[in-house]
Coordinates of all heavy atoms in Angstrom, one line a residue:
A1 N -15.0 -223.8 11.0 CA -15.3 -224.8 10.1 C -15.5 -226.2 10.9 O -15.6 -227.2 10.3 CB -14.4 -225.0 8.9
G2 N -15.4 -226.1 12.3 CA -15.5 -227.3 13.0 C -14.3 -228.2 13.1 O -14.3 -229.4 13.6
R3 N -13.2 -227.7 12.6 CA -12.0 -228.4 12.6 C -11.1 -228.0 13.7 O -11.0 -226.7 13.9 CB -11.2 -228.4 11.3 CG -11.9 -229.0 10.1 CD -11.1 -228.9 8.8 NE -10.8 -227.5 8.4 CZ -11.5 -226.8 7.7 NH1 -12.7 -227.2 7.1 NH2 -11.2 -225.4 7.4
P4 N -10.2 -228.8 14.4 CA -9.3 -228.2 15.3 C -8.2 -227.5 14.5 O -7.9 -227.9 13.3 CB -8.8 -229.5 16.0 CG -9.1 -230.6 15.1 CD -10.3 -230.3 14.3
G5 N -7.6 -226.6 15.2 CA -6.4 -225.9 14.5 C -6.0 -224.8 15.4 O -6.5 -224.5 16.4
A6 N -4.9 -224.1 14.9 CA -4.4 -223.1 15.6 C -4.2 -221.9 14.7 O -3.9 -222.0 13.6 CB -3.0 -223.4 16.2
V7 N -4.3 -220.7 15.3 CA -4.0 -219.4 14.6 C -3.0 -218.7 15.4 O -3.0 -218.5 16.6 CB -5.3 -218.5 14.4 CG1 -4.9 -217.2 13.9 CG2 -6.4 -219.2 13.7
R8 N -1.8 -218.3 14.8 CA -0.7 -217.6 15.4 C -0.7 -216.2 14.8 O -0.8 -216.0 13.7 CB 0.6 -218.3 15.2 CG 0.6 -219.7 15.8 CD 1.8 -220.5 15.4 NE 2.0 -220.6 14.0 CZ 1.3 -221.5 13.1 NH1 0.3 -222.2 13.7 NH2 1.6 -221.5 11.9
I9 N -0.5 -215.2 15.7 CA -0.4 -213.8 15.3 C 0.9 -213.2 15.8 O 1.2 -213.4 17.0 CB -1.6 -213.0 15.7 CG1 -2.9 -213.6 15.1 CG2 -1.5 -211.5 15.3 CD1 -4.2 -212.9 15.7
N10 N 1.7 -212.6 15.0 CA 2.9 -212.0 15.6 C 3.0 -210.7 14.8 O 2.6 -210.4 13.9 CB 4.1 -212.9 15.7 CG 4.9 -212.9 14.3 OD1 4.8 -212.0 13.5 ND2 5.8 -213.9 14.2
S11 N 3.9 -209.7 15.5 CA 4.1 -208.4 14.9 C 5.5 -208.1 15.2 O 6.1 -208.5 16.1 CB 3.1 -207.4 15.4 OG 3.3 -207.1 16.8
E12 N 6.0 -207.2 14.3 CA 7.4 -206.7 14.5 C 7.5 -205.4 14.0 O 7.0 -205.1 12.9 CB 8.4 -207.7 13.8 CG 8.2 -207.8 12.4 CD 9.3 -208.8 11.8 OE1 10.3 -209.1 12.3 OE2 9.0 -209.3 10.7
A13 N 8.3 -204.6 14.5 CA 8.6 -203.2 14.1 C 9.8 -203.3 13.1 O 10.8 -204.0 13.3 CB 9.0 -202.3 15.2
A14 N 9.6 -202.6 12.0 CA 10.7 -202.5 11.0 C 11.1 -201.0 11.0 O 10.4 -200.2 11.5 CB 10.3 -203.0 9.7
A15 N 12.2 -200.7 10.3 CA 12.7 -199.3 10.3 C 11.6 -198.4 9.7 O 11.5 -197.2 10.0 CB 13.9 -199.2 9.5
D16 N 10.8 -199.0 8.7 CA 9.9 -198.1 7.9 C 8.4 -198.5 8.2 O 7.6 -197.9 7.5 CB 10.2 -198.3 6.4 CG 10.1 -199.7 5.9 OD1 10.2 -200.6 6.9 OD2 10.2 -199.9 4.8
G17 N 8.2 -199.3 9.2 CA 6.7 -199.7 9.5 C 6.5 -200.8 10.4 O 7.5 -201.1 11.1
I18 N 5.4 -201.5 10.4 CA 5.1 -202.5 11.2 C 4.6 -203.6 10.3 O 3.9 -203.4 9.4 CB 4.1 -202.2 12.2 CG1 3.9 -203.4 13.2 CG2 2.8 -201.7 11.6 CD1 3.1 -203.1 14.5
R19 N 5.0 -204.8 10.7 CA 4.6 -206.1 9.9 C 3.9 -207.0 10.8 O 4.3 -207.2 12.0 CB 5.9 -206.8 9.4 CG 5.7 -208.0 8.5 CD 6.9 -208.3 7.9 NE 7.3 -207.4 6.8 CZ 8.3 -206.5 6.9 NH1 9.0 -206.5 8.0 NH2 8.5 -205.7 5.9
I20 N 2.7 -207.4 10.4 CA 1.8 -208.4 11.2 C 1.7 -209.6 10.4 O 1.3 -209.5 9.2 CB 0.5 -207.7 11.4 CG1 0.6 -206.3 12.1 CG2 -0.4 -208.6 12.3 CD1 -0.5 -205.4 12.1
R21 N 1.9 -210.8 11.0 CA 1.7 -212.1 10.4 C 0.6 -212.7 11.1 O 0.7 -212.9 12.3 CB 3.0 -212.9 10.4 CG 4.0 -212.4 9.4 CD 5.2 -213.3 9.4 NE 6.3 -212.7 8.5 CZ 7.2 -212.0 9.1 NH1 7.2 -211.6 10.3 NH2 8.1 -211.4 8.3
I22 N -0.3 -213.4 10.3 CA -1.5 -214.1 10.8 C -1.3 -215.5 10.1 O -1.5 -215.6 8.9 CB -2.7 -213.5 10.6 CG1 -2.8 -212.1 11.2 CG2 -3.9 -214.4 11.1 CD1 -3.9 -211.2 10.6
A23 N -1.1 -216.6 10.9 CA -0.9 -217.9 10.3 C -1.7 -218.9 10.9 O -2.0 -218.9 12.1 CB 0.7 -218.3 10.4
D24 N -2.2 -219.8 10.1 CA -3.0 -220.9 10.5 C -2.4 -222.2 10.1 O -1.6 -222.2 9.2 CB -4.5 -220.8 10.2 CG -4.8 -220.9 8.7 OD1 -4.1 -221.8 8.0 OD2 -5.7 -220.3 8.1
D25 N -2.9 -223.3 10.6 CA -2.5 -224.6 10.3 C -3.6 -225.4 9.6 O -3.8 -226.6 9.8 CB -1.9 -225.4 11.5 CG -2.8 -225.7 12.5 OD1 -4.0 -225.2 12.5 OD2 -2.4 -226.4 13.5
G26 N -4.5 -224.7 8.9 CA -5.7 -225.1 8.2 C -5.4 -225.9 7.0 O -4.3 -226.4 6.7
V27 N -6.3 -225.9 6.1 CA -6.4 -226.8 4.9 C -5.4 -226.1 3.8 O -5.0 -226.8 2.9 CB -7.7 -227.0 4.3 CG1 -8.6 -227.8 5.3 CG2 -8.4 -225.7 3.9
G28 N -5.2 -224.9 3.9 CA -4.4 -224.2 3.0 C -5.1 -224.0 1.6 O -6.2 -224.3 1.5
M29 N -4.3 -223.3 0.7 CA -4.9 -223.0 -0.7 C -4.0 -223.6 -1.7 O -2.8 -223.6 -1.6 CB -5.1 -221.6 -0.8 CG -6.1 -221.0 -0.1 SD -6.3 -219.2 -0.4 CE -5.2 -218.5 0.8
S30 N -4.5 -224.0 -2.8 CA -3.9 -224.5 -3.9 C -3.2 -223.3 -4.6 O -3.8 -222.1 -4.4 CB -4.7 -225.3 -4.9 OG -5.6 -224.3 -5.5
P31 N -2.3 -223.5 -5.5 CA -1.7 -222.3 -6.2 C -2.9 -221.5 -7.0 O -2.8 -220.2 -7.1 CB -0.7 -222.9 -7.2 CG -0.2 -224.0 -6.4 CD -1.4 -224.5 -5.8
A32 N -3.8 -222.3 -7.6 CA -4.9 -221.7 -8.3 C -5.8 -220.9 -7.5 O -6.2 -219.7 -7.8 CB -5.7 -222.8 -9.1
Q33 N -6.1 -221.4 -6.2 CA -6.9 -220.7 -5.3 C -6.1 -219.4 -4.8 O -6.7 -218.3 -4.7 CB -7.2 -221.5 -4.1 CG -8.2 -222.6 -4.4 CD -8.3 -223.6 -3.3 OE1 -7.4 -223.9 -2.7 NE2 -9.5 -224.1 -3.2
L34 N -4.9 -219.5 -4.5 CA -4.1 -218.4 -4.1 C -4.0 -217.3 -5.1 O -4.1 -216.1 -4.7 CB -2.6 -218.9 -3.7 CG -1.7 -218.0 -2.8 CD1 -2.4 -217.8 -1.6 CD2 -0.4 -218.7 -2.7
A35 N -3.9 -217.7 -6.4 CA -3.9 -216.7 -7.5 C -5.2 -215.8 -7.5 O -5.1 -214.7 -7.9 CB -3.6 -217.4 -8.7
R36 N -6.2 -216.4 -7.0 CA -7.6 -215.7 -7.1 C -8.0 -215.1 -5.7 O -9.1 -214.5 -5.7 CB -8.7 -216.6 -7.7 CG -8.3 -217.1 -9.0 CD -9.5 -217.9 -9.6 NE -10.6 -217.0 -9.7 CZ -11.8 -217.5 -9.9 NH1 -12.0 -218.7 -10.1 NH2 -12.9 -216.7 -10.0
A37 N -7.3 -215.3 -4.6 CA -7.7 -215.1 -3.3 C -8.1 -213.6 -3.1 O -9.2 -213.5 -2.3 CB -6.5 -215.3 -2.3
F38 N -7.6 -212.6 -3.7 CA -8.1 -211.3 -3.6 C -9.2 -210.8 -4.5 O -9.6 -209.7 -4.5 CB -6.9 -210.3 -3.7 CG -5.9 -210.5 -2.5 CD1 -4.6 -211.0 -2.8 CD2 -6.2 -210.2 -1.1 CE1 -3.7 -211.2 -1.8 CE2 -5.3 -210.4 -0.2 CZ -4.0 -210.9 -0.4
E39 N -9.6 -211.8 -5.5 CA -10.7 -211.3 -6.3 C -12.0 -211.1 -5.6 O -12.4 -212.0 -4.9 CB -10.9 -212.4 -7.4 CG -9.8 -212.4 -8.5 CD -10.1 -213.5 -9.5 OE1 -11.3 -213.9 -9.6 OE2 -9.1 -214.1 -10.0
P40 N -12.7 -210.1 -5.9 CA -14.1 -209.9 -5.2 C -14.9 -211.0 -5.6 O -15.0 -211.4 -6.8 CB -14.5 -208.5 -5.7 CG -13.2 -207.8 -6.2 CD -12.3 -208.8 -6.6
F41 N -15.7 -211.5 -4.7 CA -16.7 -212.6 -4.8 C -16.1 -214.0 -5.1 O -16.9 -214.8 -5.2 CB -17.7 -212.2 -6.0 CG -18.4 -210.8 -5.7 CD1 -18.1 -209.7 -6.6 CD2 -19.2 -210.7 -4.7 CE1 -18.6 -208.5 -6.2 CE2 -19.9 -209.4 -4.3 CZ -19.5 -208.3 -5.1
Y42 N -14.8 -214.0 -5.1 CA -14.2 -215.4 -5.2 C -14.2 -216.1 -3.9 O -13.9 -215.5 -2.9 CB -12.7 -215.4 -5.7 CG -12.1 -216.8 -5.8 CD1 -12.5 -217.7 -6.8 CD2 -11.3 -217.1 -4.7 CE1 -12.0 -219.0 -6.7 CE2 -10.6 -218.4 -4.8 CZ -11.0 -219.3 -5.9 OH -10.5 -220.6 -5.8
T43 N -14.8 -217.3 -3.8 CA -14.9 -218.1 -2.6 C -14.5 -219.5 -2.9 O -14.9 -220.0 -4.0 CB -16.1 -217.9 -1.9 OG1 -16.1 -218.6 -0.6 CG2 -17.3 -218.3 -2.6
T44 N -14.0 -220.2 -2.0 CA -13.8 -221.7 -2.1 C -14.9 -222.5 -1.3 O -14.9 -223.7 -1.4 CB -12.4 -222.1 -1.4 OG1 -12.5 -221.8 -0.1 CG2 -11.3 -221.4 -2.2
R45 N -15.7 -221.8 -0.7 CA -16.9 -222.3 0.0 C -18.0 -222.7 -1.0 O -18.1 -222.2 -2.1 CB -17.4 -221.4 1.0 CG -16.3 -221.1 2.1 CD -16.8 -220.2 3.2 NE -15.7 -219.9 4.0 CZ -15.8 -219.7 5.3 NH1 -17.1 -219.7 5.8 NH2 -14.8 -219.3 6.1
A46 N -18.9 -223.5 -0.5 CA -20.0 -223.9 -1.3 C -20.9 -222.8 -1.7 O -21.0 -221.9 -0.8 CB -20.8 -225.0 -0.6
I47 N -21.6 -222.8 -2.7 CA -22.5 -221.8 -3.1 C -23.5 -221.5 -2.0 O -24.1 -222.4 -1.5 CB -23.2 -222.2 -4.5 CG1 -22.2 -222.2 -5.6 CG2 -24.3 -221.1 -4.8 CD1 -22.8 -222.7 -6.9
G48 N -23.6 -220.2 -1.7 CA -24.5 -219.8 -0.7 C -23.9 -219.8 0.7 O -24.7 -219.3 1.6
T49 N -22.7 -220.2 0.8 CA -22.2 -220.2 2.3 C -21.0 -219.2 2.5 O -20.5 -219.1 3.5 CB -21.6 -221.6 2.6 OG1 -20.7 -222.0 1.8 CG2 -22.8 -222.6 2.6
G50 N -20.6 -218.6 1.4 CA -19.5 -217.6 1.5 C -19.7 -216.5 0.5 O -20.2 -216.7 -0.6
T51 N -19.4 -215.2 0.9 CA -19.6 -214.1 0.0 C -18.4 -213.8 -0.9 O -18.6 -213.1 -1.9 CB -20.0 -212.8 0.8 OG1 -18.8 -212.4 1.5 CG2 -21.2 -213.0 1.7
G52 N -17.2 -214.2 -0.4 CA -16.1 -214.0 -1.1 C -15.6 -212.5 -1.2 O -14.9 -212.0 -2.0
L53 N -15.9 -211.9 -0.1 CA -15.5 -210.5 0.1 C -14.4 -210.2 1.2 O -13.9 -209.2 1.3 CB -16.7 -209.6 0.3 CG -17.7 -209.5 -0.8 CD1 -19.0 -208.8 -0.4 CD2 -17.0 -208.7 -2.0
G54 N -14.1 -211.1 1.9 CA -13.3 -211.0 3.1 C -11.8 -210.6 2.7 O -11.4 -209.5 3.3
L55 N -11.2 -211.3 1.9 CA -9.8 -210.9 1.5 C -9.7 -209.7 0.6 O -8.8 -208.9 0.7 CB -9.1 -212.1 0.9 CG -8.6 -213.1 1.9 CD1 -8.0 -214.4 1.2 CD2 -7.6 -212.6 2.9
S56 N -10.7 -209.6 -0.3 CA -10.8 -208.4 -1.2 C -11.0 -207.1 -0.2 O -10.3 -206.2 -0.5 CB -12.0 -208.6 -2.1 OG -12.1 -207.4 -2.8
T57 N -11.9 -207.2 0.7 CA -12.1 -206.0 1.5 C -10.9 -205.8 2.5 O -10.5 -204.6 2.6 CB -13.3 -206.3 2.4 OG1 -14.4 -206.5 1.6 CG2 -13.5 -205.1 3.5
A58 N -10.2 -206.8 2.9 CA -9.0 -206.6 3.8 C -7.9 -205.9 2.9 O -7.3 -205.0 3.4 CB -8.6 -207.9 4.3
R59 N -7.8 -206.4 1.7 CA -6.8 -205.8 0.8 C -7.0 -204.3 0.6 O -6.1 -203.5 0.7 CB -6.7 -206.5 -0.5 CG -5.7 -205.9 -1.5 CD -5.9 -206.3 -2.9 NE -7.2 -205.7 -3.3 CZ -8.0 -206.2 -4.2 NH1 -7.6 -207.2 -5.0 NH2 -9.2 -205.7 -4.5
N60 N -8.3 -204.0 0.4 CA -8.6 -202.6 0.1 C -8.4 -201.7 1.3 O -7.9 -200.6 1.2 CB -10.1 -202.5 -0.3 CG -10.3 -203.1 -1.7 OD1 -9.4 -203.2 -2.5 ND2 -11.5 -203.4 -2.0
I61 N -8.6 -202.2 2.6 CA -8.4 -201.5 3.7 C -6.9 -201.2 3.9 O -6.3 -200.1 4.2 CB -9.0 -202.2 5.0 CG1 -10.5 -202.1 4.8 CG2 -8.4 -201.6 6.3 CD1 -11.3 -203.0 5.8
V62 N -6.1 -202.3 3.8 CA -4.7 -202.2 3.9 C -4.1 -201.3 2.9 O -3.2 -200.4 3.2 CB -3.9 -203.5 3.7 CG1 -2.5 -203.5 3.6 CG2 -4.3 -204.5 4.9
L63 N -4.6 -201.3 1.6 CA -4.1 -200.4 0.5 C -4.5 -199.0 0.9 O -3.7 -198.0 0.7 CB -4.6 -200.8 -0.9 CG -4.0 -202.0 -1.4 CD1 -4.7 -202.4 -2.7 CD2 -2.5 -202.1 -1.6
A64 N -5.5 -198.7 1.4 CA -6.0 -197.4 1.9 C -5.1 -196.8 2.8 O -5.0 -195.5 3.0 CB -7.5 -197.5 2.3
H65 N -4.4 -197.6 3.6 CA -3.4 -197.1 4.6 C -2.0 -197.1 4.0 O -1.1 -197.3 4.8 CB -3.6 -197.9 5.9 CG -4.9 -197.6 6.6 ND1 -5.1 -196.5 7.4 CD2 -6.0 -198.3 6.6 CE1 -6.3 -196.5 7.8 NE2 -6.9 -197.6 7.4
R66 N -1.9 -197.3 2.7 CA -0.6 -197.3 2.1 C 0.2 -198.5 2.4 O 1.5 -198.5 2.3 CB 0.2 -196.0 2.4 CG -0.4 -194.7 1.8 CD 0.4 -193.6 2.1 NE 1.4 -193.6 3.2 CZ 1.2 -193.4 4.4 NH1 0.1 -193.0 5.0 NH2 2.3 -193.4 5.3
G67 N -0.5 -199.6 2.8 CA 0.2 -200.9 3.2 C 0.2 -201.8 2.1 O -0.2 -201.6 0.9
S68 N 0.6 -203.1 2.5 CA 0.6 -204.2 1.6 C 0.1 -205.5 2.3 O 0.3 -205.6 3.6 CB 2.0 -204.4 1.0 OG 3.0 -204.8 1.9
I69 N -0.3 -206.4 1.6 CA -0.7 -207.6 2.1 C -0.4 -208.8 1.1 O -0.5 -208.6 -0.1 CB -2.3 -207.7 2.4 CG1 -2.7 -209.0 3.0 CG2 -3.0 -207.5 1.1 CD1 -4.2 -209.0 3.4
E70 N 0.3 -209.8 1.6 CA 0.7 -210.9 0.9 C 0.2 -212.2 1.6 O 0.1 -212.3 2.7 CB 2.3 -211.0 0.9 CG 2.9 -209.8 0.3 CD 4.4 -209.8 0.3 OE1 5.0 -210.7 0.9 OE2 5.1 -208.9 -0.1
L71 N 0.0 -213.3 0.7 CA -0.5 -214.5 1.2 C 0.6 -215.5 0.7 O 1.1 -215.6 -0.3 CB -1.8 -214.9 0.6 CG -2.9 -214.1 0.9 CD1 -4.2 -214.6 0.2 CD2 -3.2 -214.2 2.6
A72 N 0.9 -216.5 1.7 CA 1.7 -217.6 1.4 C 0.8 -218.9 1.8 O 0.3 -218.8 3.0 CB 3.0 -217.7 2.1
S73 N 0.7 -219.9 1.1 CA -0.1 -221.1 1.4 C 0.5 -222.4 0.9 O 1.0 -222.4 -0.2 CB -1.5 -220.8 1.0 OG -2.4 -221.8 1.6
T74 N 0.3 -223.4 1.7 CA 0.6 -224.8 1.3 C -0.6 -225.7 1.6 O -1.1 -225.7 2.7 CB 1.8 -225.2 2.1 OG1 2.9 -224.3 1.8 CG2 2.1 -226.7 1.5
P75 N -1.1 -226.3 0.5 CA -2.3 -227.2 0.7 C -1.9 -228.2 1.8 O -0.8 -228.8 1.9 CB -2.4 -228.0 -0.7 CG -1.9 -227.0 -1.7 CD -0.7 -226.3 -0.9
G76 N -2.9 -228.4 2.7 CA -2.7 -229.3 3.8 C -1.9 -228.9 5.0 O -1.7 -229.5 6.0
A77 N -1.3 -227.6 4.9 CA -0.3 -227.1 5.9 C -0.8 -225.8 6.4 O -0.3 -225.3 7.5 CB 1.1 -227.1 5.4
G78 N -1.6 -225.0 5.8 CA -2.1 -223.7 6.3 C -1.6 -222.5 5.4 O -1.0 -222.7 4.4
T79 N -2.0 -221.4 5.9 CA -1.9 -220.2 5.2 C -1.3 -219.0 6.1 O -1.7 -219.1 7.3 CB -3.2 -219.7 4.6 OG1 -3.7 -220.7 3.8 CG2 -3.2 -218.3 3.8
T80 N -0.4 -218.2 5.6 CA 0.1 -217.1 6.3 C -0.2 -215.8 5.5 O 0.0 -215.7 4.3 CB 1.6 -217.1 6.6 OG1 1.9 -218.4 7.4 CG2 2.1 -215.9 7.3
A81 N -0.9 -214.8 6.2 CA -1.2 -213.5 5.7 C -0.2 -212.5 6.3 O -0.1 -212.5 7.5 CB -2.5 -213.0 6.0
T82 N 0.6 -211.8 5.5 CA 1.5 -210.8 6.0 C 1.1 -209.5 5.7 O 0.9 -209.2 4.4 CB 2.9 -211.2 5.5 OG1 3.4 -212.4 5.9 CG2 3.9 -210.1 6.1
L83 N 0.8 -208.6 6.6 CA 0.4 -207.2 6.4 C 1.5 -206.3 6.8 O 2.2 -206.5 7.8 CB -0.8 -206.9 7.3 CG -2.1 -207.7 6.9 CD1 -2.1 -209.0 7.6 CD2 -3.3 -206.8 7.4
F84 N 1.8 -205.3 5.9 CA 2.8 -204.3 6.2 C 2.1 -202.9 6.2 O 1.4 -202.7 5.3 CB 3.9 -204.3 5.3 CG 5.0 -203.2 5.5 CD1 5.9 -203.4 6.6 CD2 4.9 -202.1 4.8 CE1 6.7 -202.5 6.8 CE2 5.9 -201.1 5.1 CZ 6.8 -201.3 6.1
F85 N 2.4 -202.1 7.2 CA 1.9 -200.8 7.3 C 3.1 -199.8 7.5 O 3.8 -200.0 8.4 CB 0.8 -200.6 8.4 CG -0.4 -201.4 8.3 CD1 -0.5 -202.6 8.9 CD2 -1.4 -200.9 7.5 CE1 -1.7 -203.3 8.6 CE2 -2.5 -201.7 7.3 CZ -2.7 -202.8 8.0
P86 N 3.2 -198.9 6.6 CA 4.4 -198.0 6.8 C 4.1 -196.9 7.9 O 3.0 -196.6 8.1 CB 4.5 -197.2 5.4 CG 3.1 -197.3 4.9 CD 2.5 -198.7 5.3
T87 N 5.1 -196.6 8.6 CA 5.0 -195.7 9.7 C 5.4 -194.1 9.2 O 5.0 -193.1 9.8 CB 5.8 -195.9 10.9 OG1 7.1 -196.1 10.6 CG2 5.2 -197.2 11.6
A88 N 6.3 -194.1 8.2 CA 6.6 -192.8 7.6 C 5.6 -192.3 6.6 O 5.0 -193.1 5.9 CB 8.0 -192.9 7.1
T89 N 5.4 -190.9 6.5 CA 4.4 -190.5 5.6 C 5.1 -190.1 4.2 O 6.2 -189.9 4.0 CB 3.7 -189.2 6.1 OG1 4.7 -188.2 6.5 CG2 2.9 -189.7 7.1

């Protein structure tokens, strides 16, 4: 988006799977935006500049692998996406 910022990625093994965290120091999301983040076609971008399918598609892929995805966000401070994938069947 033409703004300076950082993205941090870390992973850790857990007894029952792997956890991956992707965090940025961007604009963050309001509680209302966060509540709708996984809705298909929901976007915070201007009309015609975003499809609103990114997080919905990511969630569907994670769920297809029996995993989970959670978002935590603070307006003005950034967002963290935490993905968990189980290793046991």
Side-chain angles (χ1 to χ4, degrees):
R3 294 181 301 267
V7 175
R8 295 170 306 284
I9 302 171
N10 82 19
S11 63
E12 64 182 336
D16 56 346
I18 185 166
R19 186 167 288 106
I20 303 164
R21 285 187 189 88
I22 305 160
D24 68 38
D25 61 359
V27 298
M29 290 184 270
S30 70
Q33 291 170 324
L34 194 57
R36 298 187 64 195
F38 293 113
E39 288 181 20
F41 306 109
Y42 176 72
T43 182
T44 59
R45 297 179 186 214
I47 293 173
T49 61
T51 63
L53 290 173
L55 285 173
S56 176
T57 300
R59 180 201 59 205
N60 291 341
I61 291 168
V62 170
L63 292 175
H65 292 279
R66 300 179 341 272
S68 63
I69 183 169
E70 298 175 1
L71 295 177
S73 190
T74 303
T79 301
T80 299
T82 302
L83 294 79
F84 177 80
F85 295 97
T87 53
T89 54

